[in-house]
């Protein structure tokens, strides 16, 4: 009933930039928090950045000063601008949202988009 679709991943050289997008669609009444997680091979999924419906943000220490999360509430879309990328940023990035739908409250995950930082 509610879907999140990520885009924008790919291969980038160290020091480069990428912008991820995640669009929510379906029977949505409102969206509270929208988050970006990532999971590298052999590692647990970790929270990278979060943004509330009011625009308050929070970041993992490892990405502070390099990544910026933003959202467009009119488009039900969240973005992650990633600058000064490092090889250790390589991971599958997942979008996550707390959604109030016509059938109740849902926690929804996207399918993931791969970011590879390599020369």
């Amino acid at each position: 009933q509610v879907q999140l679709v990520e885009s924008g991943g790919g291969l980038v050289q160290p020091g480069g930039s990428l912008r991820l997008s995640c669009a929510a669609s379906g029977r949505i009444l409102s969206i509270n928090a929208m988050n970006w997680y990532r999971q590298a091979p052999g590692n647990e999924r970790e929270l990278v950045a979060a943004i509330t419906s009011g625009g308050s943000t929070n970041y993992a220490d490892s990405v502070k000063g390099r990544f910026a999360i933003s959202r467009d509430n009119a488009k039900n879309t969240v973005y992650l601008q990633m600058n000064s990328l490092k090889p250790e940023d390589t991971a599958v990035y997942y979008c996550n949202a707390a959604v109030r739908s016509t059938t109740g409250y849902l926690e929804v995950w996207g399918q993931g988009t791969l970011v590879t930082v390599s020369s």
Side-chain angles (χ1 to χ4, degrees):
Q1 292 180 342
V2 177
Q3 289 184 321
L4 298 179
V5 178
E6 299 113 333
S7 61
L11 174 63
V12 63
Q13 292 186 343
S17 298
L18 280 177
R19 188 190 194 210
L20 305 183
S21 300
C22 171
S25 62
R27 298 177 179 270
I28 298 170
L29 296 178
S30 63
I31 303 177
N32 296 324
M34 300 187 83
N35 313 300
W36 286 99
Y37 285 77
R38 67 185 180 187
Q39 187 168 18
N43 290 359
E44 294 185 353
R45 191 172 296 189
E46 62 172 352
L47 179 64
V48 175
I51 186 167
T52 68
S53 57
S56 296
T57 59
N58 190 34
Y59 297 94
D61 287 343
S62 59
V63 306
K64 281 181 181 177
R66 300 188 297 121
F67 290 11
I69 188 172
S70 60
R71 65 190 283 172
D72 184 334
N73 290 329
K75 296 181 179 179
N76 289 333
T77 298
V78 63
Y79 306 97
L80 186 67
Q81 178 66 43
M82 304 185 294
N83 300 324
S84 302
L85 283 161
K86 305 175 181 180
E88 51 263 43
D89 294 319
T90 296
V92 178
Y93 284 70
Y94 296 92
C95 178
N96 166 268
V99 178
R100 186 165 72 96
S101 76
T102 56
T103 57
Y105 289 91
L106 304 172
E107 182 182 19
V108 188
W109 290 88
Q111 81 286 356
T113 186
L114 178 62
V115 172
T116 303
V117 184
S118 175
S119 55

